[in-house]
Amino acid sequence: MSAQIFIDADNVKPEIGFKVIEKFSNLYTVDKVNIIGNETTLSSKYLEASNRYNIQNCFYGKNSADTWLCTEIAKTIFENPAVDVIIIVSSDRDFLAAIKLATDRKRKVIFVSEGNGHKNLKALLYDLRINPDLIELVDFQTDLTINSPVKKKGVTNPMKIISPNQKLNKIKAVCMKNSNLKKFFTQNEAKFQLVKLKRNGGFIEIPFFEGINFSTLTNILMALKVIPNGRTLMKIFAENNFEIVNNCVYFENVEGLSEQEKNPFNDVINYFTAHSAETKNILIKCEDKLHEVPFVNGISLVMFSRLLKGYEIADDAEKIKKIIADSFLSLRSDNRIYFQDEETISADLKSYLQKLPSSALEFIRKNEDKLKIVAIAHNDSVHKVPFVEGIHLSIFVNMLRTLNIFGKNTNSSKVLTANGFKIQDNLVYKKGSE
């Protein structure tokens, strides 16, 4: 089930807010996390998470976060019908109108608050004739235990955006293993470039950006085993026209760097970092080969082209448009790319239903309200097929063979497992959708 989380950051501490995100990301597919509050008073821990979650600044007076939060919930209900669960995190109770709006439209609401106020809230919910089956009340203090380790089914962990520059990738791998450097490198990854410095009659290459902290750079280069200590780095800088101001390092001739010495993938890294909560991995097809790439619904054609160029998949406008057409994506008139719309999917369903064996057709018609389209990759091709959670394995396999997705001699269980399906008691489920 798909969910969105709304955190009233004016009265919910970050340690509670992040624990809520972790708990419910284990239970639902969390499409978006909205942290709502006044940026001038917002905890720095919330602000530091702005590259992962949507920070909504409210700045026009007392209780503005409550009003804004209700507005954002209403927008979600009307603009995103795919969201099944609304999770509200607040110590206030000023969200009855939003709760009623959501439950009237058959959305489940989970209200995370202080347990002391739940008794009064239950009475108010009863007075408003809100369906109790669609409400779950969670206590800050007692109900936020995280069961771990559990594989998360929630906020999609985006595919790691890897720079085509292999040397920078090696540097990143080293930094991410060092707890002291990990946070710094994550926050500044897109800024780094490689520069060549004279040393002992030869050259060394180091990661660098203007204004980097000298002590941090020393730690990075020591971790990379480029230098033994900070004194060595001071000597190298003295030979190469670097200067240190307030413990920050600057290069006097930065304009002279060639384009090859700069990281050409920065804008792509920045884009997917900013949209990490919305990023999903998809398979695209290019010249009969499949590639796994990160994707954000509504990504611009320019950014998608930059991504494909960075991964060395395609660097030609016509080829990129063919990839979009072959990969079940839709390029709209505003030059943004989306997953194919429901109208296209419905047409595909009608086409498929005419080809299905009678056993599959009968099962699908009985479960039409649960019918959806899923992608199955096999033999360098991606196929869209109708699917219902809990379909019998023999019915599903027979359907796939009828649709010529694989033959009689193919190990069907192996293909399904490789495509993220789970087989239990001879029934088929899509992992992450149980």
Side-chain angles (χ1 to χ4, degrees), residues 36 58 60 62-72 94-95:
I36 300 170
C58 318
Y60 58 88
K62 190 176 185 296
N63 297 327
S64 65
D66 299 347
T67 305
W68 209 296
L69 191 146
C70 288
T71 302
E72 291 299 314
D94 298 332
F95 307 111

Side-chain angles (χ1 to χ4, degrees), residues 196-206 221 225-229 231-233 235-237 239-240:
K196 290 182 179 179
L197 305 181
K198 295 177 184 177
R199 185 187 180 192
N200 298 333
F203 289 90
I204 61 169
E205 210 168 29
I206 69 166
L221 297 183
K225 299 182 179 179
V226 173
I227 59 169
N229 52 50
R231 290 190 299 276
T232 304
L233 185 58
K235 292 179 182 178
I236 295 172
F237 283 169
E239 296 172 6
N240 287 272

Side-chain angles (χ1 to χ4, degrees), residues 171-188:
I171 292 165
K172 177 179 179 179
V174 171
C175 290
M176 297 306 277
K177 291 178 182 178
N178 185 312
S179 58
N180 295 323
L181 298 176
K182 182 177 180 179
K183 182 177 179 181
F184 176 84
F185 194 89
T186 300
Q187 292 175 341
N188 297 281

Side-chain angles (χ1 to χ4, degrees), residues 27-166:
L27 303 175
Y28 303 104
T29 299
V30 178
D31 294 329
K32 190 175 182 181
V33 175
N34 304 275
I35 298 174
I36 300 170
N38 189 327
E39 282 188 0
T40 61
T41 58
L42 203 60
S43 166
S44 60
K45 291 183 179 179
Y46 277 134
L47 293 173
E48 288 169 3
S50 61
N51 64 330
R52 289 177 291 156
Y53 309 126
N54 178 46
I55 305 291
Q56 182 65 65
N57 182 25
C58 318
F59 49 83
Y60 58 88
K62 190 176 185 296
N63 297 327
S64 65
D66 299 347
T67 305
W68 209 296
L69 191 146
C70 288
T71 302
E72 291 299 314
I73 292 173
K75 282 175 61 180
T76 298
I77 291 169
F78 288 113
E79 294 178 2
N80 194 347
V83 174
D84 304 297
V85 183
I86 302 293
I87 301 170
I88 303 171
V89 190
S90 176
S91 59
D92 285 345
R93 290 178 293 152
D94 298 332
F95 307 111
L96 285 173
I99 291 173
K100 182 162 177 58
L101 177 65
T103 54
D104 283 350
R105 283 157 179 77
K106 310 303 181 187
R107 307 300 204 286
K108 179 177 179 178
V109 174
I110 299 174
F111 189 68
V112 186
S113 185
E114 292 177 323
N116 292 335
H118 282 172
K119 290 182 180 179
N120 292 336
L121 184 60
K122 286 180 180 177
L124 293 171
L125 295 173
Y126 176 80
D127 290 341
L128 289 171
R129 301 294 188 266
I130 290 175
N131 184 348
D133 294 334
L134 293 175
I135 289 288
E136 180 179 343
L137 301 179
V138 175
D139 187 341
F140 279 169
Q141 308 300 325
T142 61
D143 298 334
L144 289 182
T145 303
I146 308 297
N147 297 319
S148 60
V150 176
K151 185 177 180 181
K152 292 188 178 183
K153 304 174 188 173
V155 177
T156 304
N157 290 324
M159 182 176 181
K160 291 180 181 177
I161 311 301
I162 301 175
S163 168
N165 190 321
Q166 295 303 312

Side-chain angles (χ1 to χ4, degrees), residues 308-323:
L308 298 187
K309 180 179 179 181
Y311 278 117
E312 298 181 352
I313 296 172
D315 190 16
D316 175 83
E318 291 306 315
K319 183 181 286 188
I320 290 170
K321 288 182 180 179
K322 187 173 189 315
I323 288 172

Side-chain angles (χ1 to χ4, degrees), residues 155-345:
V155 177
T156 304
N157 290 324
M159 182 176 181
K160 291 180 181 177
I161 311 301
I162 301 175
S163 168
N165 190 321
Q166 295 303 312
K167 291 181 180 179
L168 277 177
N169 292 335
K170 291 178 181 178
I171 292 165
K172 177 179 179 179
V174 171
C175 290
M176 297 306 277
K177 291 178 182 178
N178 185 312
S179 58
N180 295 323
L181 298 176
K182 182 177 180 179
K183 182 177 179 181
F184 176 84
F185 194 89
T186 300
Q187 292 175 341
N188 297 281
E189 178 180 355
K191 299 179 184 178
F192 277 98
Q193 57 195 28
L194 291 174
V195 296
K196 290 182 179 179
L197 305 181
K198 295 177 184 177
R199 185 187 180 192
N200 298 333
F203 289 90
I204 61 169
E205 210 168 29
I206 69 166
F208 175 78
F209 64 82
E210 284 288 283
I212 187 171
N213 181 276
F214 175 78
S215 302
T216 303
L217 182 58
T218 300
N219 290 335
I220 291 174
L221 297 183
M222 289 174 63
L224 293 169
K225 299 182 179 179
V226 173
I227 59 169
N229 52 50
R231 290 190 299 276
T232 304
L233 185 58
M234 289 284 285
K235 292 179 182 178
I236 295 172
F237 283 169
E239 296 172 6
N240 287 272
N241 300 320
F242 280 79
E243 60 178 340
I244 303 172
V245 180
N246 296 326
N247 205 37
C248 294
V249 186
Y250 299 89
F251 186 32
E252 294 179 1
N253 192 29
V254 73
E255 305 81 22
L257 290 174
S258 68
E259 288 301 316
Q260 287 73 26
E261 291 175 309
K262 297 177 182 178
N263 183 3
F265 211 49
N266 288 353
D267 55 343
V268 178
I269 293 172
N270 283 332
Y271 177 84
F272 282 98
T273 299
H275 294 81
S276 59
E278 307 155 55
T279 302
K280 299 182 184 297
N281 294 347
I282 65 169
L283 289 170
I284 62 170
K285 182 180 178 183
C286 178
E287 296 178 343
D288 295 325
K289 290 185 179 180
L290 296 179
H291 305 269
E292 186 178 22
V293 299
F295 183 79
V296 173
N297 210 26
I299 188 173
S300 70
L301 176 60
V302 171
M303 186 57 66
F304 190 64
S305 300
R306 293 278 297 112
L307 174 73
L308 298 187
K309 180 179 179 181
Y311 278 117
E312 298 181 352
I313 296 172
D315 190 16
D316 175 83
E318 291 306 315
K319 183 181 286 188
I320 290 170
K321 288 182 180 179
K322 187 173 189 315
I323 288 172
I324 293 169
D326 291 345
S327 303
F328 313 129
L329 300 172
S330 175
L331 177 61
R332 299 188 184 173
S333 57
D334 59 357
N335 275 331
R336 292 189 174 276
I337 304 168
Y338 296 83
F339 294 115
Q340 284 188 349
D341 55 32
E342 291 185 10
E343 186 177 333
T344 305
I345 291 174

